Amino acid sequence: MLPFYLLTFAAIIQAHSQLLPGSCNFESNTCGYTSDADFTSWTLHRDGRYVAVDAVMSNDQDDEIGADTEMQRETTGVLLSPALEQGEWSCLRLVYQITGSGSLEVLQRTEGKSFDRPLWSSQEPSDSWVISSMDLQNNTEPYRVVIEGKPGQTAGSSVAIFEIHISPGYCLECDFEESHLCGYSNQWNANVNWYVGGGGVQLLHNNMPIDHTYNNRTGHFMYVDSIYAKTFKEVAKLVSPLTTVPMSGCLSFQYQRSEERGNLFSVFTRDRLGQYQELWRAGPEIQSDWSGTLGEWIPVQVDLKAPYSVQVVFEVAFNSPRGGRVAVDDISFSSEFCSTDTEPTFDPSIASCDFESGFCQYTQDQVMGSLWRRVSVKPNIFRNGDHTTGAGSFLLAHSQLGPSSGYVSRVIGPTLPGNMKFCLRFYFSLRGFNQTDQALAVYLQQSSGQEKIWTLGEKSRGIWVATDMTFQTSQPAKVVFVSTCRSFWDCGSVALDDIIVSLGDCELAAGLLTSSLPGHCDFEGGMCGYIQDKQNDAADWEWRRGPTPTSYTGPRGDHTTGLGYYLHMEASPMLPGQSVRLLSRPLRGSRGPQCLRFYYHMYGSGTGQLSVHLNNNGEDVLLWQRSGEQSIAWLRATVEYQSDRQHQIVFEATRGSSVRSDIAIDDIILESGPCPEAEIRATVGTSNEIE
C-alpha cells in the first residue's frame, strides 16, 4: 500500500501547489488576514483551525486577530486579506459555516474606490461545513478580499471560516483530485447517485475506468452506476457551483459511458429559479463495455452562454438496474467559443431606449394610423416630464383634433434572436382614457403572426409606472408597443419611456437592478444604511409610499416604479427654516472623482431648499443646492466631487414658508469615476413641447 499513499500524497501536493496568494487554512496563523479595527474581531481558534466571529464573547484561550474589542460597535466582523495582485482569472473557494443565524458576505476592495464590489453572500445556517465558489475576474489593480460576517442575535450564533482557496482558472473547472470536489455536489437520490471513483480504491467494481487526469488508477473522477436503480427513469445529478459573474465560452469535459441503450446522459444549465436549458445530449457512440476492456475517454466541447448566474448539471437517467454506468472527468472552460462560427452572446441593450437622443433602433408603422411623437416638457408645476431626467424626451401617443374618430399608434423594436428568454421593462404614464384595456398593449411580432404578451391593467393616472414581463422567442421576433383609441371622446394620451431589455427571466434580472449594488439605493427595501442626523436637525426624513398627506405638494408616487417607496420631508409639523438631514454611511476616500446621482421632487408653492453636502470630520462642504418650487416631476441631479479622506454625503431639506413645502428624494446612485459629460450638460428639450 505504500506506493498508493505516496502517489496520493504527490497528487495532493501537486494540487495545493496551484494555490495562489490569499489562500489560507488557518492551521497556525491567519496568513496575513486581519480584522478591521472598526468592527468586532474575528477570532483564531487554536483547536479547531478556523476563524470565527460570535454573537457572544469568545473565551480567553483564543487569539484575536489585530483588533481591540473595546472598539466593537455591533456584531459584525470584517476580515481583510493582504493586498493581492492577480491579473488572470481565478476562483475563490470558501469553506464556511453559519451556526444558529447570521449572514456572510464576500466583497472585493480595489484601492482608490469608495465601494466594495459584492461577490457572494449567504444567510443559510448549516450543521456542517459548506463550500462556496466565486469567480475573480481579471484585475489589473491590486485588491483585497473582504469577508463580512454578521452572527445573529440568538444565543450561540456564529459565523466561521475553515479554509480559503484561491486557484487559477474558472470555478466551473475541476479534475476531482481534491476532497472539496471544486464545489461540485451530488443532488441526492434514494437509489442512484454520483460517487468519487479512482484513488486506487474500488468500492463496487474492479473494472472501473482509469482516471483521465493522470491516466492511472490513483487519480479521481466522478461516476454514477445503475446497479441500485429500482424504478423507471431514475435520475442522478452532478451539480456545479453557481456562477457569480456573466460568462460565455467553451465548456469541455471527458466522459465514458456503457450500455448506451439503458441510460440517457445530458448536460443542462439551471438558473436560480430552477429552470433548465439543455446544452448537450450524448448520442450513440462505439466503445467497449466496461465489463470488457476499459473504454476510452470521449472529449466533449459545448458552447456555454450564461449572462446571469447558472449551475451546470450533469444528468444521467436510467431505465433499469442494467442501465450501465457514466463517468465524468476534467471539466474545463475557455472564454473563447468552441467554434469560430458561434455567434457572440446577444447584446439586449440594442432594444433598450430612453429616447433622449432619438428613437434608437425603434421604428414606426407609417401605414397604420397615427404616429408616436417624441416630445419633451420643461419643468413645470402642471404637467409631468419624462422619466429619465424629468426634463428630457419620451414618446407620446394621443388623440389629436381631426376628422378621424380614433387612432392606432405602433412603435416597433429591433429584431431579437429566436429561442431565447428576455425580460422587458418599461415605464408608462396614462392621462384620460375612460377604458384603459386598449390604451397600451405589447405584442411579440414573429413571421407566424403576432401575440399579445401584455396589456394595461394599472389605472394610476399622471405618474410614471414601471412594468416588466418575461417572454420567450421561438424564432426571431420584434416587440411592438400599440396604443389604440376607438372613439375620440373615450381617448386620452399614453406616454412611454425608458425601455430596458435584458436576457433571462425578470426575476433573475431583478437581482441585477441598481438597488443591489453598493452605493445604490431605491428605498424599496428600507434605508440602505442611510441614517437620520439626530443631532443637527429638527425632524426626520420619512419613508413613504404613494402621495404625501398635504395636497398640492410632494410627489404622487416614487421614481423607481411609481408604486414604491421614497424619502420625503413632511413640512406640516415643522416650522419655517427647520430642516431634516440624512447621512450616508462613512465612505472611503478616493484618489479620483466620484459621481453622485439622485432624483429629487420639489413641488409646492411654499417649497424651501434642498442641498447636498460633503461632511469631513463634522464640517460640511456644499456640493449642490436648489431652492423654491422646481417641478411637479421627479428631476435628476448629477454631482461630481472628489475627496481623498473618509467622508459622508448629507442630504438636507429645509422647510419653506408654508406647509406646501414637501421635498422628496429617491434612487440615489454613488459610483467611483467621473460623471458622464452628457448628464452634466443635460439641458431641457424644447422641440415638440406639450404645453
Side-chain angles (χ1 to χ4, degrees), residues 266-309:
S266 308
V267 180
F268 299 87
T269 58
R270 182 173 68 187
D271 62 30
R272 290 181 183 271
L273 303 178
Q275 299 170 340
Y276 285 77
Q277 182 174 355
E278 186 174 275
L279 291 179
W280 173 86
R281 178 178 296 185
E285 62 263 341
I286 302 174
Q287 69 177 68
S288 304
D289 191 303
W290 289 353
S291 59
T293 357
L294 294 179
E296 295 183 357
W297 288 96
I298 299 175
V300 174
Q301 290 188 327
V302 58
D303 287 324
L304 172 67
K305 297 179 180 180
Y308 42 82
S309 294

Side-chain angles (χ1 to χ4, degrees), residues 122-158:
S122 176
Q123 296 179 342
E124 297 293 328
S126 67
D127 296 328
S128 60
W129 294 105
V130 180
I131 183 170
S132 185
S133 306
M134 57 216 78
D135 284 290
L136 300 176
Q137 295 171 278
N138 305 359
N139 201 334
T140 57
E141 300 180 12
Y143 66 91
R144 296 178 188 270
V145 173
V146 181
I147 301 175
E148 187 174 289
K150 294 182 179 180
Q153 299 302 311
T154 56
S157 293
S158 69

Side-chain angles (χ1 to χ4, degrees), residues 167-246:
S167 55
Y170 296 84
C171 290
L172 286 178
E173 299 179 318
C174 196
D175 58 14
F176 303 107
E177 297 303 325
E178 293 198 65
S179 58
H180 56 60
L181 302 179
C182 318
Y184 277 76
S185 61
N186 168 69
Q187 188 168 312
W188 191 83
N189 180 300
N191 299 318
V192 293
N193 292 279
W194 287 88
Y195 296 98
V196 179
V201 179
Q202 308 299 336
L203 297 177
L204 298 176
H205 307 279
N206 294 319
N207 56 354
M208 296 296 287
I210 291 176
D211 159 74
H212 180 269
T213 311
Y214 299 118
N215 194 30
N216 60 31
R217 291 190 179 277
T218 61
H220 298 82
F221 53 88
M222 300 298 293
Y223 77 96
V224 58
D225 197 304
S226 65
I227 189 170
Y228 297 120
K230 294 182 179 179
T231 61
F232 180 71
K233 209 73 172 180
E234 293 271 19
V235 176
K237 296 180 180 181
L238 178 66
V239 184
S240 79
L242 193 71
T243 61
T244 55
V245 295

